[in-house]
Amino acid sequence: MTSSIEFVEKLRKSGLRPTKQRIEICKVLFNSEKTFHFTINDLVKMIEDKNNKKISLATVYNTIHAFEKKGYLKEIAINSSQTYFDTNTSDHHHFFDEKEKELIDLENKDVDPIKIKKNISGKKIRSVEVLVRIDTDNQ
Amino acid sequence: MTSSIEFVEKLRKSGLRPTKQRIEICKVLFNSEKTFHFTINDLVKMIEDKNNKKISLATVYNTIHAFEKKGYLKEIAINSSQTYFDTNTSDHHHFFDEKEKELIDLENKDVDPIKIKKNISGKKIRSVEVLVRIDTDNQ
DNA sequence: CTATAGTTTAGAATGATTATAAGCTATTTT
DNA sequence: AAAATAGCTTATAATCATTCTAAACTATAG
Ligand SMILES: [Mn+2]
Ligand SMILES: [Mn+2]
Ligand SMILES: [Zn+2]
Ligand SMILES: [Zn+2]
């Protein structure tokens, strides 16, 4: 459980003014025991349900992108109509449940190290991500 | 080099009527020596440049999705504003060049087999895809 | 040939995301 | 502490990839 004061400090250190909207977003994102995955719409709903008060969608987008840039969030690559974000910024992979449209962490330890035996000249590897699509086990 | 007649047959066998639009799309997609990656906009441009004639965007979307459903194309998961498709339907992975916004094949043989040591009960693995993001090697 | 189901098409609708620009607020300067 | 400034929030409009619609067209079965 992180206090508001700590979020204020974290924001200031990041060069972001500690507004009440940003502190609210921090509370929702970084106060839970476990990390989680979310879409912008999920997050707006969480914040508005918690505070019984509207927050501008633009503010949420702006803040999430600011946090992503600072490395406090990761964006997950899925071909879905909505972008997913992750409060788990460690190096890890994902299952994507096609039925539930839900991401599940696949820790690095649960996948053998991935050795890429090809390299593209003049290019540097930025990330290596595994996406395992899963679906109901029927038929 | 596949002839139109072969595409007609392939379409008929797939339960798709061999219209001239579909045959044109087949020619552009399945006549080249090498497989390739494309977006819908890329494809529309290729077709219109080749034939000096408009094709309806809706037809291209419909046909690509029909071909995808038949397994003649794969959709590649990238968080980009456009969806990418692949004429290489074999089991393989990708580099994504963040600067050029371009996909490059990473053959299965160029990656050690990926062993997923975690399983989600009641769920079946549909696919395992590796995406390696690359960028210019500067600084 | 005729009927029918399937297809193409232009254009409208959708929906996630981004842009705009006016008012508000945290912080700095005086 | 008040004023000035730069940064932030907001409602709303714009953007743009994709999907929908429904009317006209076409492949094909009978
Ligand atoms: Mn982003
Ligand atoms: Mn698709
Ligand atoms: Zn995760
Ligand atoms: Zn490929």
Side-chain angles (χ1 to χ4, degrees):
Chain A
M1 190 58 96
T2 311
S3 71
S4 285
I5 292 162
E6 288 171 273
F7 289 134
V8 168
E9 226 166 278
K10 178 176 176 164
L11 287 165
R12 280 220 186 85
K13 272 183 194 153
S14 310
L16 298 169
R17 289 190 179 171
T19 63
K20 61 180 183 312
Q21 291 85 350
R22 285 175 175 164
I23 293 164
E24 269 317 308
I25 292 173
C26 283
K27 284 183 187 167
V28 170
L29 294 181
F30 308 123
N31 248 344
S32 64
E33 197 58 40
K34 297 182 186 199
T35 61
F36 62 100
H37 308 101
F38 63 96
T39 64
I40 295 289
N41 285 341
D42 292 339
L43 182 56
V44 168
K45 200 164 181 327
M46 283 188 246
I47 293 167
E48 295 187 345
D49 286 358
K50 182 164 175 284
N51 301 334
N52 279 82
K53 200 158 158 301
K54 293 265 164 240
I55 186 170
S56 169
L57 193 53
T59 300
V60 178
Y61 272 102
N62 289 340
T63 301
I64 290 316
H65 285 130
F67 286 2
E68 188 194 0
K69 200 161 292 174
K70 295 295 171 184
Y72 304 147
L73 290 173
K74 275 175 66 173
E75 194 177 321
I76 309 300
I78 302 167
N79 267 17
S80 155
S81 54
Q82 285 186 99
T83 301
Y84 285 72
F85 293 91
D86 197 340
T87 66
N88 178 355
T89 57
S90 77
D91 189 11
H92 70 287
H93 307 293
H94 294 93
F95 289 102
F96 184 63
D97 185 328
E98 296 281 2
K99 193 182 195 93
E100 308 296 333
K101 301 292 177 209
E102 188 185 42
L103 281 166
I104 300 168
D105 275 353
L106 177 56
E107 295 302 334
N108 236 342
K109 67 172 173 51
D110 290 330
V111 181
D112 285 328
I114 295 168
K115 180 76 138 294
I116 309 295
K117 298 175 190 162
K118 180 181 181 181
N119 86 317
I120 309 293
S121 83
K123 299 288 177 176
K124 188 176 182 176
I125 290 177
R126 293 281 181 240
S127 68
V128 176
E129 286 172 42
V130 179
L131 183 67
V132 181
R133 290 180 191 276
I134 59 178
D135 210 336
T136 45
D137 199 3
N138 296 336
Q139 31 167 345
Chain B
M1 191 58 98
T2 311
S3 71
S4 285
I5 292 162
E6 288 170 273
F7 289 134
V8 168
E9 226 166 276
K10 179 177 176 164
L11 287 165
R12 280 220 185 85
K13 272 182 193 154
S14 311
L16 298 169
R17 288 189 181 174
T19 63
K20 61 180 183 315
Q21 291 84 350
R22 285 175 176 163
I23 293 165
E24 270 316 308
I25 292 173
C26 283
K27 284 183 188 167
V28 170
L29 293 181
F30 308 123
N31 248 344
S32 63
E33 196 59 38
K34 297 182 187 199
T35 62
F36 62 100
H37 308 101
F38 65 93
T39 64
I40 295 289
N41 284 341
D42 293 339
L43 182 56
V44 168
K45 199 166 182 326
M46 282 188 246
I47 293 166
E48 294 187 345
D49 286 358
K50 182 164 176 284
N51 301 335
N52 279 81
K53 202 158 156 301
K54 294 264 164 241
I55 186 169
S56 169
L57 193 54
T59 298
V60 178
Y61 272 103
N62 289 341
T63 301
I64 290 316
H65 284 131
F67 285 4
E68 188 194 358
K69 199 162 292 173
K70 295 294 172 185
Y72 304 147
L73 291 173
K74 275 175 67 173
E75 194 177 322
I76 309 299
I78 301 166
N79 265 16
S80 154
S81 53
Q82 284 187 101
T83 300
Y84 285 73
F85 293 91
D86 196 341
T87 66
N88 178 355
T89 57
S90 78
D91 189 12
H92 70 287
H93 306 294
H94 294 93
F95 288 102
F96 184 64
D97 185 328
E98 296 281 2
K99 193 182 194 93
E100 308 296 333
K101 302 291 176 209
E102 188 186 43
L103 281 166
I104 300 167
D105 275 353
L106 176 56
E107 295 302 335
N108 236 345
K109 66 173 174 50
D110 289 330
V111 181
D112 286 328
I114 296 171
K115 179 77 138 295
I116 309 294
K117 298 174 192 163
K118 180 180 180 179
N119 87 317
I120 309 293
S121 83
K123 299 289 176 174
K124 188 175 182 176
I125 289 177
R126 293 282 179 240
S127 69
V128 177
E129 286 172 42
V130 179
L131 184 67
V132 181
R133 289 180 192 276
I134 59 178
D135 210 336
T136 46
D137 198 4
N138 296 335
Q139 28 161 350

